[in-house]
Amino acid sequence: MSVESVLIPDDRAFSSFKEECRSEEAWSLTYNKTGMTVWTQTIGDEEKSLHKIKCRMACKDVPAETMYDVLHDVEYRRKWDANVIETFDIGKLTVNADVGYYSWKCPKPLRNRDVITLRSWLPTGSDYIIMNYSVKHAKYPPKKDMVRAVSIQTGYLIQSQGPNHCTLTYLAHVDPKGSLPKWVVNKSSQFLAPKAMKKISKACLKYGEWKQRHNPGFKPWLYPEQTTLPTIPVSELSIQHADSLENIDESTLSEMQTREERDSD
């Protein structure tokens, strides 16, 4: 059986991602408050949990360059991202592509998720793009206590709006693996995604001070010669298809359970 080849995104892929971030056609507006807009798009059967979400936020007092650094800096993410369980880089593919692991807490009572992704990035004038999709690596199989999710395509578009102002667009097309209840999908677009975007913006405001105390000159996403990651041959990777992973049925879990567990904490 032939294994589908892993491709490192080219200029055309970045251009296509940017266009989808900017387009509002075929998207349903679900949230629009105080500089934050969220759209969703259902893929196929509405009963299934596969959907796209897109969030756009105006970030005052945040230069585009700072936002780019914060989204890249794995060490800093461990400090500000309250949902992260574990995150680390596995290896580099090119000067602007690597492979990494990320696991995160899901709203109770859902099981936590993790992903292995091929991430690539590209500064384009005053804008920046970071995007990823799921891959398989033999040394990092699915874990028993996690649900291995699949990023079909996820990423960020950062657009400079002046020296101290940028717009951040987050686009996620993810298969969380499993039949999720509708309240999770609704909560993601109405509450979780806007909350996560605001956390990123707040993290940017504190990054300069933090970075001054934590290896200030080390930014391998800007200076690839600084990287200490081992080089991974693309041949060691394969596409992670959702249908090859365990499917978890969580559709009967109620939001009330979430409140009860929170109240008992």
Side-chain angles (χ1 to χ4, degrees), residues 7 11-13 24-25 31 43 60 69-70 76 134 141 145 149 154 159 161 188 192 196 209 211 216 224 251 261 265:
L7 299 175
D11 288 348
R12 192 166 45 178
E24 296 178 21
E25 191 176 337
Y31 182 98
I43 310 298
K60 293 179 179 177
D69 287 348
V70 166
Y76 189 53
S134 281
D145 60 338
T154 301
Q159 296 172 287
Q161 305 295 339
S188 294
L192 298 177
E209 182 187 348
K211 190 62 176 170
S251 59
E261 290 192 36
D265 285 345

Side-chain angles (χ1 to χ4, degrees), residues 47-151:
E47 289 303 310
K48 293 185 178 177
S49 52
L50 193 61
H51 70 293
K52 289 185 182 181
I53 186 167
K54 177 162 58 178
C55 312
R56 186 177 298 147
M57 175 177 61
C59 303
K60 293 179 179 177
D61 302 319
V62 177
E65 299 83 3
T66 300
M67 179 66 73
Y68 187 60
D69 287 348
V70 166
L71 291 172
H72 267 291
D73 199 320
V74 173
E75 292 299 321
Y76 189 53
R77 178 173 283 273
R78 294 190 185 108
K79 177 176 174 59
W80 66 262
D81 187 351
N83 292 320
V84 69
I85 297 172
E86 188 179 14
T87 181
F88 55 86
D89 297 326
I90 295 170
K92 67 174 182 177
L93 297 166
T94 66
V95 293
N96 69 324
D98 62 18
V99 177
Y101 174 86
Y102 180 76
S103 59
W104 69 96
K105 302 169 191 170
C106 288
K108 291 181 179 180
L110 304 180
R111 285 172 59 183
N112 295 330
R113 262 68 176 173
D114 70 355
V115 285
I116 302 284
T117 59
L118 187 161
R119 185 180 62 153
S120 52
W121 54 93
L122 186 70
T124 57
S126 60
D127 299 342
Y128 301 86
I129 297 170
I130 304 171
M131 60 186 191
N132 72 60
Y133 68 91
S134 281
V135 292
K136 283 194 284 191
H137 191 291
K139 292 182 180 177
Y140 301 92
K143 299 181 177 183
K144 288 182 181 179
D145 60 338
M146 294 273 178
V147 178
R148 178 63 52 92
V150 176
S151 168

Side-chain angles (χ1 to χ4, degrees), residues 181-199:
K182 282 188 175 178
W183 67 260
V184 172
V185 178
N186 293 335
K187 192 172 183 179
S188 294
S189 60
Q190 297 289 338
F191 176 71
L192 298 177
K195 185 180 178 184
M197 295 282 277
K198 288 171 186 172
K199 278 189 176 179

Side-chain angles (χ1 to χ4, degrees), residues 218-250:
F218 184 68
K219 295 183 179 181
W221 52 92
L222 296 179
Y223 313 111
E225 67 277 6
Q226 293 181 344
T227 188
T228 56
L229 291 174
T231 299
I232 299 178
V234 178
S235 58
E236 286 188 9
L237 306 172
S238 58
I239 301 289
Q240 177 66 78
H241 289 293
D243 55 13
S244 68
L245 293 166
E246 180 185 6
N247 211 49
I248 309 296
D249 187 1
E250 296 172 306

